[in-house]
Amino acid sequence: MFNAHHPDRRRPQPTAPAPAAAATSWSPAPVVPLASQPPPALLVDSPLPDQLAMGLVVIRYRAENLRIVPVYGPAALDVSPRIGHIHVTVDDAPWHWADASGEPLILQSLPPGPHKVWIGLADPTHKILDSKTVAFTVPPHAGGH
């Protein structure tokens, strides 16, 4: 039986985490204002192929040098580290929607054929800072969801 008080039965002490490798590219911890910030960038993956074959479009994205949060308005421009959200347009529609979840975009029931999704990285006042367009084809045999 384990006896924590016996001098020969001490619990192992936790070890300090290993230092991060110099090559690791982490964003600054969002706990202190930054004196300067590199420009924000949007990275977008192509739709996941297995889901696309079933007619479900799942697009993963991430922002660099900007945190995706549901905060809007001119006062939020002074927040550091920088915050924002995305705008999304499907197939050149005359309208878009805004999203601040940071979760993958999921589209379903698009008809078979070519499509494109435009994603704009926006500041809290909806000014677009970076954007990407993802083109893909929904296969003709894709099932509906």
Side-chain angles (χ1 to χ4, degrees), residues 24 109 123:
T24 301
S109 301
D123 75 10

Side-chain angles (χ1 to χ4, degrees), residues 82-138:
R82 186 184 292 117
I83 61 174
H85 58 280
I86 62 169
H87 290 188
V88 182
T89 302
V90 178
D91 291 337
D92 295 320
W95 53 270
H96 67 268
W97 75 87
D99 181 77
S101 70
E103 296 296 324
L105 297 172
I106 301 173
L107 307 168
Q108 59 187 34
S109 301
L110 289 175
H115 297 280
K116 62 183 173 177
V117 173
W118 175 86
I119 304 169
L121 187 62
D123 75 10
T125 65
H126 305 284
K127 176 185 171 194
I128 301 301
L129 305 170
D130 192 13
S131 67
K132 300 287 186 281
T133 299
V134 178
F136 56 92
T137 299
V138 173

Side-chain angles (χ1 to χ4, degrees), residues 12-115:
Q13 296 298 313
T15 57
T24 301
S25 175
W26 286 27
S27 298
V31 295
V32 296
L34 301 175
S36 66
Q37 300 178 68
L42 178 65
L43 297 136
V44 179
D45 289 342
S46 294
L48 299 173
D50 292 344
Q51 285 75 23
L52 190 58
M54 297 183 297
L56 184 64
V57 181
V58 179
I59 300 173
R60 297 183 306 175
Y61 70 91
R62 72 180 172 98
E64 288 187 342
N65 308 314
L66 181 143
R67 290 181 299 140
I68 303 288
V69 295
V71 177
Y72 306 94
L77 290 173
D78 294 330
V79 172
S80 176
R82 186 184 292 117
I83 61 174
H85 58 280
I86 62 169
H87 290 188
V88 182
T89 302
V90 178
D91 291 337
D92 295 320
W95 53 270
H96 67 268
W97 75 87
D99 181 77
S101 70
E103 296 296 324
L105 297 172
I106 301 173
L107 307 168
Q108 59 187 34
S109 301
L110 289 175
H115 297 280

